[in-house]
Amino acid sequence: MNSQEMLLLKLGEVVLKGQNRHSFEDKLVNNVRRRLKGCGSFQVYIRQSTIYVEPAADNCDMEAAFAACRQVFGVVAVARAVPCEKTVEAIVETAKIYLADAFAAARSFKVESKRADKTFRLNSIQLSQEVGGELAEAFPAVTVDVHDPDLTVYVEIREKYAYVHAPAVPGAGGLPIGMGGRAVSLLSGGLDSPVSSWMMARRGVELEMVHFVSPPYTSPQAQEKVLELARLLTGWCGKMMVHIIPFTHIQEEIRKNCPEEFFTLIMRRFMMRLAQAVAARCKAGALVTGESLGQVASQTMLALGTTDDVCEIPVLRPLIGMDKVEIIRMAREIGTYDTSILPYEDCCTVFTPRHPCTRPKLEDVRSAEAALDVDALVAEALAGRQWVWVKPGDAPRI
């Protein structure tokens, strides 16, 4: 590892913002600083739509910093780079040393230059030609191929230094967390809700989680599974609170007093009421669910309308038009798949009706629900609410 190595973080749609662009950039820089705290001491600053991450001590964990920066929403690409003086000689010497292993593995290369400092004496094409010519002499076994090279050497001429790096790797993209408002996400142990939470966080939404437990029908392992999913999401979302709400009495009352075909719909209506109450307490402006249109009986258009009937704030459903194959692919990509498929029951699957209603009439669901003391059941469940802080770097829970 080169002791001078640093990271260049490339911004995405943040650069397209207008007069409020600086607030997005400030939030993003603060988010990067916060995520790097466990990796050592770094200087983090922004110049010309690029965030610079420079180690301020010899004991910085550059591998951990590189991985952490790739998970910061708002960053579209991360490059390991080495700074040098703004001369062709210094750039060539730096590339020869820093990219020696890459040249040893390549059969062809090209140089791609970017001149952010317009006072530099060469334009981008001229710089690429001069640096490329000298590197071709230094590595005679590697041919120049400007169309389809094995290795691209990137040179950036910026405010203070030139920077040399190999190709950047993709970052998380999206918008900085905190710029999209705050929402409460209903987190179960399945595949869908962690993916939907990730998708909203990627749009800059700061999340708090709500999970419903039904002991003795659901096990402590089922709760730990959900907290582990939340822990995995903190790699992308940062620290978050998980509200754990007891749901057993509500489900037993529904089973005792309501038609079986409406079990799931009435249960979902209670979940939305409880999540909305949590949202009011934490000043969140929306709810987030993992529902996908038509995936199960409670996710038909009419069924979704019956659950939205009890909501006074928006319900965001980022997976609504996705199929299961797409959701599984995303779960694998964000790292939640293996935990989501662990075989622990959650409260949504315990009281599943044999023949659920797929075309409910709202007045019928309201009438069935009238057999319950809704306000008392909601108040009782909220009184039993517990909460857990989950942070990046926490030990795995299962």
Side-chain angles (χ1 to χ4, degrees):
M1 182 65 67
N2 190 299
S3 61
Q4 287 185 296
E5 189 176 49
M6 57 171 295
L7 303 176
L8 299 177
L9 314 187
K10 308 296 184 177
L11 278 54
E13 60 185 289
V14 169
V15 303
L16 303 176
K17 299 299 176 184
Q19 293 182 336
N20 61 348
R21 172 175 164 178
H22 289 301
S23 61
F24 280 82
E25 291 179 341
D26 290 345
K27 176 65 75 173
L28 183 51
V29 168
N30 287 333
N31 289 352
V32 171
R33 287 184 180 134
R34 187 163 54 247
R35 300 290 278 282
L36 290 174
K37 279 184 178 176
C39 306
S41 176
F42 290 87
Q43 279 190 309
V44 181
Y45 57 94
I46 188 167
R47 299 279 190 281
Q48 297 171 310
S49 301
T50 296
I51 294 176
Y52 297 74
V53 176
E54 298 178 353
D58 292 336
N59 61 348
C60 291
D61 188 338
M62 291 298 291
E63 292 292 339
F66 179 72
C69 288
R70 289 193 66 189
Q71 290 187 296
V72 176
F73 292 121
V75 174
V76 296
V78 181
R80 300 169 183 260
V82 171
C84 63
E85 295 300 317
K86 293 195 287 187
T87 67
V88 171
E89 296 75 22
I91 292 167
V92 170
E93 193 61 28
T94 300
K96 283 162 59 177
I97 296 170
Y98 183 54
L99 300 177
D101 290 344
F103 270 103
R107 291 175 297 179
S108 59
F109 84 100
K110 74 172 181 177
V111 176
E112 198 165 293
S113 301
K114 177 180 179 181
R115 187 183 62 154
D117 176 7
K118 302 303 182 188
T119 65
F120 188 72
R121 65 178 183 85
L122 302 175
N123 64 30
S124 298
I125 295 173
Q126 292 167 335
L127 179 60
S128 294
Q129 289 172 338
E130 288 207 19
V131 172
E134 296 214 24
L135 288 176
E137 288 185 18
F139 299 98
V142 187
T143 60
V144 175
D145 182 349
V146 297
H147 300 295
D148 188 25
D150 294 335
L151 170 65
T152 301
V153 177
Y154 290 89
V155 177
E156 299 190 31
I157 306 295
R158 291 188 169 271
E159 193 176 34
K160 290 170 64 177
Y161 300 107
Y163 296 87
V164 176
H165 62 88
V169 298
L175 295 173
I177 284 184
M179 297 307 295
R182 180 190 290 260
V184 167
S185 185
L186 284 72
L187 184 64
S188 73
L191 286 158
D192 303 338
S193 58
V195 174
S196 65
S197 300
W198 182 90
M199 289 180 69
M200 293 315 306
R202 191 170 184 264
R203 299 312 302 160
V205 176
E206 186 177 354
L207 296 174
E208 294 200 16
M209 302 298 194
V210 168
H211 177 61
F212 301 95
V213 293
S214 297
Y217 306 106
T218 57
S219 66
Q221 291 94 331
Q223 179 175 315
E224 288 300 308
K225 171 185 173 180
V226 169
L227 290 174
E228 173 63 8
L229 287 170
R231 185 193 72 83
L232 292 170
L233 287 170
T234 62
W236 306 91
C237 308
K239 182 174 75 170
M240 67 175 74
M241 181 180 284
V242 182
H243 302 261
I244 300 167
I245 298 180
F247 208 60
T248 308
H249 190 206
I250 289 174
Q251 288 185 297
E252 289 177 338
E253 288 297 300
I254 293 171
R255 183 170 63 177
K256 196 186 308 177
N257 295 288
C258 301
E260 183 183 357
E261 63 178 345
F262 294 146
F263 279 3
T264 303
L265 293 173
I266 295 174
M267 180 182 75
R268 294 291 296 174
R269 285 164 66 89
F270 271 97
M271 287 180 170
M272 299 304 239
R273 291 185 180 102
L274 290 164
Q276 190 166 256
V278 172
R281 295 185 183 196
C282 67
K283 295 181 170 56
L287 304 180
V288 178
T289 77
E291 291 159 316
S292 170
L293 188 64
Q295 184 169 251
V296 294
S298 63
Q299 295 175 21
T300 64
M301 199 175 295
L302 289 172
L304 293 174
T306 65
T307 55
D308 282 355
D309 174 57
V310 303
C311 296
E312 298 172 2
I313 57 177
V315 180
L316 307 177
R317 296 182 171 97
L319 308 187
I320 196 68
M322 295 175 65
D323 62 32
K324 205 66 177 183
V325 172
E326 294 172 294
I327 296 167
I328 288 171
R329 177 183 55 78
M330 288 196 68
R332 291 185 189 277
E333 288 177 2
I334 68 174
T336 56
Y337 176 82
D338 289 339
T339 301
S340 287
I341 62 172
L342 292 174
Y344 300 120
E345 296 280 325
D346 64 30
C347 67
C348 294
T349 56
V350 172
F351 291 89
T352 303
R354 289 165 296 180
H355 303 291
C357 182
T358 58
R359 299 180 61 81
K361 293 181 179 178
L362 180 56
E363 57 268 27
D364 293 341
V365 177
R366 285 175 173 172
S367 176
E369 193 179 69
L372 305 171
D373 189 341
V374 171
D375 292 342
L377 288 169
V378 167
E380 178 191 356
L382 288 173
R385 175 180 64 104
Q386 298 177 311
W387 54 91
V388 178
W389 277 107
V390 186
K391 305 183 295 298
D394 282 352
R397 304 187 71 99
I398 54 175

